[in-house]
Amino acid sequence: MIAQALPNECVTVKAAVARPFLTANKRHRLFLTINLLGCSADSAQRPPLNIAVVVDCSSSMEGEKMKQAKAGLLSIISHLKKGDFFSLVSFANRPKVLIVSRPNRIASSIPRKIKQLQANGMTALYAGLQSGVNQVRKTKSSSYINRVILISDGDANIGPMNYRDFAKAAEQFKREGISVTTLGLGKDYGEDVLCSIARSSQGNHANVNDPKRLRQVIDEELRNSTHVVAFRAQVKVQCPPCVRPLRVLGPQASIAGNAVEFSYNQLFAKQKRGAVIELELAPHLAGEKAKVAQIDVSYIHPTQIVGKRKRGFACVTFTKDPSQQKSKIDKPAMEQVITALANLTTKLALELRDLGRIKEARDACYQNQRTIEGARKMYNLDNTKNLQKMWQLSGEYANQMDETNWPAQRKRMKRDQFLLDSFPLHQSTGTISKSVNSSH
């Protein structure tokens, strides 16, 4: 089983089966966790940035929002270095390229262009996003950090408006190695659209409830974007004939026969990306040890531009001893599994609330709490702060589903679900529902 990085490598890979001991002579469903952790990085060695900022300039951005957007954009200059590429696109009724993608030797023109931004018109969000991506495409390189930052305070009302259209476009961006970070400004932005863009392109998403926090969020995004430790991380899981992959919780993945594949365009320093894979395993005799998966991981080193590869295996042992099955639990893996399943339940609760079935939505959240509490007792997970946090969040969701609180609560739930799909909770507990939403 892959457990740690070799010297001078920038990614640690760990795979674990939550229940490594199983009852003999029975068919089982089990969960395999796979996590990639980026090492520390020297910011002086970072790859060049190729970044486009796309700003909503519709009428609803007038006033404080536009003022803070300009302040946030001006802060970008301090993050740019020689060799970086920067472009700026605004959109209202149609997109407008204010700064064409070009090297940072002309950074002195950026403040003047930013100060020219004015709010007026409707929201052609799809066209604005495509225009920003086109700027990144012009100067895209496999050795650059290719990223778009999209800032919007509303729903699209010109051009495509359905979140599925945006998700489909964002999947193409990911295939090209371009990620999109979406920043929802204020209380009226379309969270379905912005979250789908971020998830499908493997960018980030933040709910900036207070416009005065926008500069802080942009600073944090750019600081994180300078610490890439791996490009194009590919994970391939091959199961033997006795094992059948059922589903993947977390990243968008493909299942073809006995093989599972998922990938990440970039992995940042000290960032953890993870997946939970549910498997079905045929019966085995007591005492047998079965290989349930071969895990192959490859990635590109950001400065050496050379490929790295790792291979490991995940196994289980069959036993007649019930005490072994309960006592030899992989607790971190089990915690990750319970969290991923709880996240599925919160998605169901959100769907029920959207349908107006408030009681059922609340019941789903309360059931989440009971399930988490039962799992903590069964597997002796009493000291896991992450499950305690998930238990607490489920209760808060249930208590904020009335008409008054639901618009803000829905944004919070979508962002939390995005985080839990993108990162294992034991890494992101400190930021979930907290980073930029002043109402929580």
Side-chain angles (χ1 to χ4, degrees):
M1 188 175 298
I2 305 172
Q4 59 184 3
L6 299 175
N8 301 320
E9 293 197 0
C10 46
V11 178
T12 299
V13 185
K14 184 173 182 180
V17 177
R19 291 191 299 128
F21 285 81
L22 301 173
T23 304
N25 303 314
K26 288 181 62 177
R27 183 173 295 274
H28 289 275
R29 287 194 175 187
L30 62 152
F31 290 95
L32 169 68
T33 64
I34 300 175
N35 291 306
L36 280 63
L37 176 64
C39 67
S40 299
D42 180 359
S43 60
Q45 298 296 317
R46 74 160 172 84
L49 281 172
N50 177 25
I51 187 169
V53 181
V54 180
V55 188
D56 185 346
C57 288
S58 60
S59 298
S60 59
M61 285 286 291
E62 190 172 10
E64 185 66 19
K65 291 178 185 177
M66 183 56 67
K67 176 183 175 182
Q68 296 303 327
K70 291 180 180 180
L73 293 173
L74 288 169
S75 73
I76 291 176
I77 300 172
S78 64
H79 294 276
L80 298 178
K81 296 182 179 181
K82 185 178 180 181
D84 290 340
F85 288 83
F86 175 81
S87 55
L88 178 63
V89 175
S90 66
F91 68 91
N93 294 337
R94 62 185 64 86
K96 182 178 181 181
V97 179
L98 300 177
I99 299 178
V100 176
S101 183
R102 48 193 171 183
N104 183 37
R105 62 176 179 269
I106 44 73
S108 59
S109 68
I110 296 177
R112 177 171 52 84
K113 295 289 187 179
I114 290 173
K115 290 175 183 177
Q116 293 175 359
L117 292 173
Q118 292 184 341
N120 183 33
M122 299 179 72
T123 310
L125 199 155
Y126 190 90
L129 174 61
Q130 290 285 1
S131 183
V133 170
N134 286 338
Q135 290 301 309
V136 173
R137 283 179 176 137
K138 290 179 179 179
T139 46
K140 184 172 75 72
S141 168
S142 60
S143 60
Y144 292 173
I145 300 169
N146 304 295
R147 180 156 295 221
V148 173
I149 297 178
L150 171 64
I151 303 170
S152 179
D153 76 329
D155 263 324
N157 51 30
I158 294 180
M161 302 177 195
N162 191 289
Y163 77 90
R164 293 183 180 86
D165 295 323
F166 287 88
K168 184 177 180 180
E171 288 170 6
Q172 175 59 35
F173 305 157
K174 175 185 176 290
R175 287 192 289 270
E176 296 178 53
I178 300 172
S179 299
V180 183
T181 287
T182 59
L183 307 180
L185 194 58
K187 300 178 180 180
D188 299 316
Y189 70 88
E191 61 267 24
D192 289 341
V193 166
L194 295 194
C195 285
S196 67
I197 294 169
R199 183 166 191 263
S200 296
S201 70
Q202 291 189 346
N204 296 320
H205 170 69
N207 171 10
V208 191
N209 194 35
D210 182 357
K212 294 180 180 178
R213 303 287 298 278
L214 182 60
R215 177 170 181 168
Q216 173 190 334
V217 177
I218 292 175
D219 283 342
E220 182 178 343
E221 170 66 16
L222 289 173
R223 279 197 304 270
N224 290 338
S225 295
T226 64
H227 291 83
V228 172
V229 297
F231 285 119
R232 299 197 299 280
Q234 302 278 341
V235 181
K236 297 183 179 181
V237 181
Q238 183 64 53
C239 298
C242 63
V243 179
R244 183 166 67 100
L246 300 176
R247 58 176 173 169
V248 180
L249 308 180
Q252 294 173 320
S254 64
I255 298 178
N258 287 48
V260 177
E261 293 189 20
F262 56 95
S263 63
Y264 301 105
N265 280 340
Q266 299 159 356
L267 186 68
F268 297 100
K270 299 183 179 180
Q271 182 188 59
K272 185 174 287 185
R273 306 300 294 259
V276 174
I277 304 175
E278 186 175 10
L279 307 171
E280 184 178 62
L281 177 60
H284 284 66
L285 298 175
E288 283 190 301
K289 188 172 184 178
K291 181 173 71 175
V292 298
Q294 172 183 297
I295 303 109
D296 289 289
V297 179
S298 62
Y299 61 92
I300 304 297
H301 191 283
T303 55
Q304 300 173 7
I305 315 300
V306 294
K308 302 281 187 178
R309 294 181 180 274
K310 297 183 180 185
R311 170 172 288 182
F313 302 90
C315 302
V316 296
T317 300
F318 288 84
T319 178
K320 290 183 178 180
D321 185 356
S323 64
Q324 276 191 315
Q325 300 169 49
K326 290 187 177 181
S327 63
K328 296 189 177 181
I329 296 293
D330 188 305
K331 291 187 177 182
M334 184 60 74
E335 180 184 8
Q336 187 173 343
V337 169
I338 296 168
T339 301
L341 293 173
N343 194 37
L344 280 183
T345 303
T346 67
K347 292 180 181 180
L348 172 63
L350 190 146
E351 291 174 5
L352 290 169
R353 179 59 184 82
D354 281 348
L355 294 170
R357 295 156 64 177
I358 299 176
K359 183 181 184 303
E360 292 174 74
R362 285 176 170 156
D363 286 345
C365 293
Y366 292 139
Q367 180 59 49
N368 232 7
Q369 290 187 309
R370 290 191 291 271
T371 300
I372 292 169
E373 188 61 31
R376 286 170 59 188
K377 291 179 180 178
M378 178 181 295
Y379 300 116
N380 193 24
L381 301 174
D382 289 338
N383 295 322
T384 53
K385 294 182 179 179
N386 306 310
L387 289 182
Q388 292 174 6
K389 181 65 174 178
M390 195 68 198
W391 184 92
Q392 177 186 342
L393 286 175
S394 296
E396 292 175 2
Y397 297 157
N399 294 329
Q400 298 290 320
M401 290 190 173
D402 56 276
E403 293 296 333
T404 300
N405 292 305
W406 179 238
Q409 176 69 355
R410 192 181 192 281
K411 288 177 171 56
R412 183 191 184 196
M413 290 180 70
K414 289 292 291 188
R415 180 176 183 273
D416 289 353
Q417 290 163 7
F418 165 81
L419 281 174
L420 292 169
D421 280 334
S422 302
F423 313 101
L425 182 61
H426 51 270
Q427 182 211 6
S428 57
T429 300
T431 58
I432 193 168
S433 298
K434 175 181 177 182
S435 63
V436 291
N437 191 336
S438 62
S439 64
H440 299 287

